[in-house]
Amino acid sequence: MDFSFSYYIGLAGIVVFTISGALSALEHKDHHHDLFSVFFTGFITAIGGGTLRDITLGNYPVSWVRDENILWAIFFGFLLVILLPRTLTKRKDELFLFDTLGIGIYTVLGTRIALDHGVNFFASALLGMISAIFGGVIRDTLMNEVPFIFRKEIYATACLVGSVLYIVLNVWNVNANWNLVISTTVVVGIRIVAVRYNLGLPKIKIFD
């Protein structure tokens, strides 16, 4: 099993997304959630994007079935939410940063996995983006909220930029760990700036 730098970064991303999903369920004002529903929301947020990527690539068994450490990371994230709910809720700014870091990590690792399976550059960039955003799409759908990709905030676009950058730096033979750090930082930076200054892509108007 691969116990490289990127592997542990990926597990950290699993923990972050689990916390994000579980807190969304725990805090939702219109629903009552028991322990299982909180766990399930965190679980599906953490594995949704990676599972769709693996299915698309024919990479079986999918990552969380193949690697039990992913399940332990999910359980750890869920445990933090159950034991420290108020502490985590009061630190929403920090959680936003962690969630943003999570999409950056997922983007880069998803792109790398796609490239390792011999997928063309364009598809690899899209699969990197899907790895990062699809768990959040499922989470928001379960919470009966509009997914981030349909809101004004720049979200999926930041991931796509990070995917493309990772591919370019990979072609230029930049060190894999440095590539991971640089590309993840770009995704995080774009996301933070977009939220800070309320930036979004221009709307397409078909009907007035």
Side-chain angles (χ1 to χ4, degrees), residues 97-201:
L97 292 176
F98 283 132
D99 187 66
T100 302
L101 181 60
I103 67 168
I105 292 168
Y106 266 43
T107 295
V108 172
L109 295 183
T111 305
R112 191 193 71 174
I113 291 170
L115 290 173
D116 288 344
H117 279 75
V119 177
N120 64 73
F121 292 159
F122 183 67
S124 294
L126 290 176
L127 285 170
M129 179 186 70
I130 288 170
S131 297
I133 69 172
F134 198 74
V137 170
I138 299 174
R139 175 198 63 210
D140 292 340
T141 302
L142 289 174
M143 296 296 101
N144 198 29
E145 295 181 356
V146 177
F148 269 117
I149 60 172
F150 299 130
R151 303 180 196 178
K152 178 183 177 182
E153 296 175 9
I154 293 176
Y155 189 70
T157 306
C159 299
L160 192 58
V161 170
S163 292
V164 172
L165 177 61
Y166 180 85
I167 292 169
V168 170
L169 294 180
N170 186 64
V171 170
W172 290 348
N173 294 316
V174 173
N175 176 271
N177 290 338
W178 277 111
N179 193 352
L180 186 154
V181 172
I182 293 169
S183 300
T184 298
T185 301
V186 167
V187 176
V188 172
I190 293 173
R191 178 80 178 122
I192 291 174
V193 170
V195 172
R196 174 66 178 82
Y197 295 102
N198 196 28
L199 302 178
L201 297 178

Side-chain angles (χ1 to χ4, degrees), residues 24-40:
S24 294
L26 198 62
E27 293 185 301
H28 203 283
K29 61 183 179 180
D30 295 329
H31 298 280
H32 169 74
H33 291 277
D34 57 21
L35 284 176
F36 177 78
S37 61
V38 172
F39 171 80
F40 179 77

Side-chain angles (χ1 to χ4, degrees), residues 31-92:
H31 298 280
H32 169 74
H33 291 277
D34 57 21
L35 284 176
F36 177 78
S37 61
V38 172
F39 171 80
F40 179 77
T41 307
F43 170 78
I44 204 68
T45 302
I47 60 93
T51 298
L52 180 60
R53 177 202 64 226
D54 287 346
I55 291 173
T56 303
L57 292 172
N59 185 21
Y60 299 111
V62 295
S63 57
W64 60 272
V65 176
R66 185 172 60 250
D67 183 1
E68 69 176 63
N69 288 331
I70 292 177
L71 297 178
W72 282 114
I74 291 172
F75 179 74
F76 178 68
F78 169 70
L79 201 60
L80 288 177
V81 171
I82 297 304
L83 295 178
L84 304 169
R86 293 185 179 181
T87 300
L88 294 175
T89 300
K90 290 177 181 177
R91 297 182 176 273
K92 288 187 177 181

Side-chain angles (χ1 to χ4, degrees), residues 1-11 66-70 112 177:
M1 185 177 294
D2 177 21
F3 290 109
S4 63
F5 172 72
S6 61
Y7 176 78
Y8 289 108
I9 291 295
L11 289 181
R66 185 172 60 250
D67 183 1
E68 69 176 63
N69 288 331
I70 292 177
R112 191 193 71 174
N177 290 338

